[in-house]
RNA sequence: GGAGGGGUUCCCGAGCGGCCAAAGGGGGCAGACUGUAAAUCUGUUAUCUGACGAUUUCGAUGGUUCGAAUCCAUCCCCCUCCA
């Protein structure tokens, strides 16, 4: 039996967006889904029970970080990542491909793989597709990513092409190295920067390799939103209908809705947790910087339309006070709220697909949030 | 009573004749953050002006000097030690 099954429930008549269910060894989740990021085997500031309370169905963790610390062998000894971190629902692990991008001054890329200098102690490590598979097999996540190169924006066509072709070769090596196919589903990652022909080439090459799901990477790295949407429009139609499509690293409300409209099923992003820790919250009426002085005497909740733990029990004035005083509860509450906000947003997106009105929902949401239509 | 040290912009604290509206912290204010090297980073913080620039600041008052937070005099506070 395969580790992953995608079930298409229905398509929105208004937009073509997909409502589906993904089945994994640790349970199922409805799509489109937002996955909170827990890089170091923890969603910063949240316990697994709290994540369940806000109805998170699947979370993300990271190959590079867990390999560096505490080490994949240790996680395996602990009984795998689920057991180690006390999370029994699905987990997706990223391959370290994003660290190829974000730790660019600490690494060197060759055909064989990527040599990293550890950001922790400077020690040298070589990541190959085979090692990345071994690490993720040790971690035991339900959905694993092939090792890719996430290139910066802007990138010239020539480099983007060479890079995507190497990413395809690495994907092939990943597929050959990955033996635990009944417990862990391996996704290939589409690259190609903002070039239509390259995105199409990448998608075709990966589909040829037949993965149980497909990721779209290398977007939301600084390119204009319009470019990202165009890339989705030319990529998604080339991906098989019976497999989930995962847009990596995307998490602002507009991107989530626009992504769903273009046929994306899965999203992850550090945005809600990071901006929460830095004092910004997303509300039904747009973003607010909760630290700002104008909320010092605002005794209303962060978002009057939200029923999360923070909004049920605390005021903007109190949360602002906690943030200013650098109390951990402050960033816990903003994190909690932001995650609940996005998880609720995706619930509404799924309902709108069910009701064939995602286009209307988009317009209503954009107007309330303050986005341009 | 004697000997010494000190009072700097919201706070702490550097500066010790011009390059000083005054380093550096802190605090305040504002902004950014999108497969997490992030509870981080950036900007700003005398007044007036869009800007050039102008004006008032370094305990107080007077003075020396082309020019003073910086030198001198007097005064007012604070701290340490001795009696």
């Amino acid at each position: 039996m395969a580790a992953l099954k995608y079930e298409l429930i229905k398509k929105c008549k208004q937009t073509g967006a997909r409502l589906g269910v993904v089945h994994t060894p640790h349970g199922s989740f409805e799509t489109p889904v937002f996955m909170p990021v827990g890089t170091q085997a923890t969603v910063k500031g949240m316990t697994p029970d709290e994540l369940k309370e806000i109805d998170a169905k699947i979370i993300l963790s990271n190959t590079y970080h867990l390999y560096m610390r505490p080490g994949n062998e240790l996680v395996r000894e602990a009984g795998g990542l689920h057991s180690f971190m006390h999370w029994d629902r699905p987990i997706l692990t990223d391959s370290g491909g994003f660290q190829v991008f974000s730790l660019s001054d600490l690494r060197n890329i060759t055909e064989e793989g990527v040599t990293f200098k550890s950001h922790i102690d400077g020690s040298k490590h070589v990541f190959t597709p085979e090692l990345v598979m071994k690490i993720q097999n040790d971690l035991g996540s339900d959905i694993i990513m092939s090792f890719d190169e996430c290139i910066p924006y802007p990138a010239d066509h020539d480099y983007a092409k060479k890079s995507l072709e190497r990413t395809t070769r690495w994907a092939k090596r990943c597929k050959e190295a990955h033996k635990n196919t009944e417990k862990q589903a391996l996704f290939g990652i589409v690259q190609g920067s903002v070039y239509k022909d390259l995105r199409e080439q990448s998608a075709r090459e990966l589909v040829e390799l037949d993965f149980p799901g497909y990721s779209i990477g290398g977007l939301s790295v600084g390119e204009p939103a319009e470019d990202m949407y165009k890339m989705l429009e030319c990529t998604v139609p080339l991906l098989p209908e019976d497999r989930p499509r995962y847009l990596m690293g995307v998490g602002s409300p507009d991107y989530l809705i626009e992504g769903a409209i273009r046929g994306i099923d899965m999203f992850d992003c550090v945005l809600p947790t990071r901006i929460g820790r830095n004092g910004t919250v997303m509300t039904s009426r747009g973003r607010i910087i909760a630290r700002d002085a104008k909320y010092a005497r605002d005794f209303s909740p962060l978002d009057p339309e939200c029923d999360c733990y923070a909004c049920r029990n605390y005021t903007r004035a109190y949360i602002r006070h906690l943030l200013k005083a650098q109390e951990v509860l402050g960033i816990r509450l903003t994190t909690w709220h932001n995650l609940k906000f996005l998880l609720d947003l995706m619930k509404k997106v799924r309902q709108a697909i069910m009701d064939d009105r995602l286009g209307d929902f988009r317009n209503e949401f954009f107007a309330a949030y303050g986005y341009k239509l």
Side-chain angles (χ1 to χ4, degrees):
Chain A
M1 214 179 94
L4 180 143
K5 184 168 177 288
Y6 174 78
E7 194 182 338
L8 177 62
I9 303 294
K10 113 172 263 277
K11 272 185 160 182
C12 172
K13 291 199 175 81
Q14 205 172 61
T15 60
R18 314 186 333 151
L19 182 68
V21 181
V22 171
H23 303 280
T24 82
H26 285 88
S28 305
F29 54 88
E30 292 192 310
T31 60
V33 70
F34 177 77
M35 307 181 280
V37 178
T39 302
Q40 312 218 55
T42 170
V43 175
K44 294 184 193 298
M46 299 287 286
T47 67
D49 287 346
E50 289 162 351
L51 291 170
K52 287 182 177 177
E53 205 260 338
I54 60 174
D55 218 13
K57 299 288 199 196
I58 169 171
I59 62 171
L60 193 106
S61 198
N62 188 280
T63 297
Y64 169 86
H65 290 277
L66 295 179
Y67 160 86
M68 289 295 178
R69 181 170 57 194
N72 46 297
E73 306 271 341
L74 185 149
V75 175
R76 195 189 59 198
E77 269 179 60
L81 193 50
H82 290 88
S83 160
F84 186 50
M85 70 178 289
H86 183 55
W87 173 258
D88 56 10
R89 293 182 179 181
I91 299 176
L92 182 153
T93 44
D94 184 28
S95 60
F98 183 74
Q99 279 63 45
V100 175
F101 162 77
S102 67
L103 302 178
S104 59
D105 50 333
L106 294 174
R107 55 60 171 168
N108 183 43
I109 307 170
T110 66
E111 182 61 26
E112 176 57 18
V114 178
T115 305
F116 280 106
K117 274 175 90 173
S118 160
H119 70 281
I120 300 163
D121 62 7
S123 55
K124 233 183 233 182
H125 303 266
V126 182
F127 267 33
T128 61
E130 291 76 19
L131 177 62
V132 164
M133 287 301 102
K134 161 82 168 83
I135 297 168
Q136 292 186 97
N137 291 159
D138 284 346
L139 297 176
S141 37
D142 303 272
I143 302 174
I144 66 178
M145 293 299 116
S146 53
F147 192 45
D148 67 326
E149 181 190 4
C150 179
I151 63 172
Y153 174 85
D156 63 58
H157 188 276
D158 184 54
Y159 185 80
K161 184 173 168 69
K162 287 194 169 108
S163 171
L164 118 232
E165 288 170 351
R166 183 166 51 207
T167 288
T168 300
R169 290 191 297 276
W170 286 357
K172 190 158 188 272
R173 282 166 60 188
C174 283
K175 190 162 189 241
E176 283 160 6
H178 176 50
K179 302 297 179 207
N180 192 20
T181 55
E182 293 193 1
K183 291 273 177 67
Q184 300 181 288
L186 171 66
F187 283 25
I189 303 178
V190 177
Q191 289 290 346
S193 190
V194 292
Y195 304 104
K196 184 167 182 283
D197 60 319
L198 299 185
R199 287 281 165 184
E200 289 170 352
Q201 176 188 347
S202 178
R204 288 204 173 91
E205 289 177 0
L206 291 171
V207 169
E208 186 98 354
L209 293 174
D210 189 26
F211 288 98
Y214 294 89
S215 306
I216 299 173
L219 291 174
S220 196
V221 289
E223 79 285 358
E226 279 312 310
D227 286 355
M228 182 176 86
Y229 299 152
K230 278 182 205 154
M231 292 306 106
L232 296 182
E233 285 157 17
C234 70
T235 304
V236 171
L238 300 178
L239 301 175
E241 281 263 305
D242 62 344
R243 313 284 161 89
R245 302 105 178 223
Y246 160 34
L247 176 56
M248 309 182 81
V250 156
S252 57
D254 53 344
Y255 282 13
L256 292 175
I257 295 170
E258 297 289 1
I261 286 173
R262 287 163 179 78
I264 299 298
D265 306 301
M266 302 166 63
F267 304 86
D268 80 284
C269 198
V270 305
L271 195 69
T273 46
R274 179 180 288 170
I275 69 175
R277 290 194 307 282
N278 294 336
T280 296
V281 297
M282 295 181 266
T283 81
S284 50
R285 297 170 204 176
R287 273 167 66 144
I288 67 169
I289 300 179
R291 283 192 325 261
D292 282 2
K294 58 185 159 193
Y295 305 117
R297 290 164 191 282
D298 186 337
F299 301 110
S300 64
L302 292 177
D303 184 352
E305 290 178 29
C306 179
D307 66 348
C308 79
Y309 173 74
C311 290
R312 284 199 316 266
N313 299 296
Y314 304 98
T315 63
R316 291 177 174 185
Y318 178 64
I319 291 170
R320 172 182 133 92
H321 158 68
L322 294 178
L323 292 170
K324 300 295 284 183
Q326 300 194 68
E327 284 291 338
V328 286
L329 183 58
I331 61 176
R332 264 174 48 69
L333 293 176
T334 51
T335 298
W336 197 317
H337 167 79
N338 280 343
L339 285 175
K340 180 71 157 59
F341 181 82
L342 289 189
L343 292 169
D344 281 357
L345 173 65
M346 297 315 280
K347 235 172 230 175
K348 291 172 189 163
V349 165
R350 292 193 297 267
Q351 186 61 49
I353 295 171
M354 191 54 117
D355 300 341
D356 291 312
R357 60 180 304 276
L358 184 56
D360 294 342
F361 174 78
R362 171 203 179 268
N363 294 340
E364 290 158 15
F365 179 88
F366 273 42
Y369 200 81
Y371 285 135
K372 276 189 282 182
L373 291 173

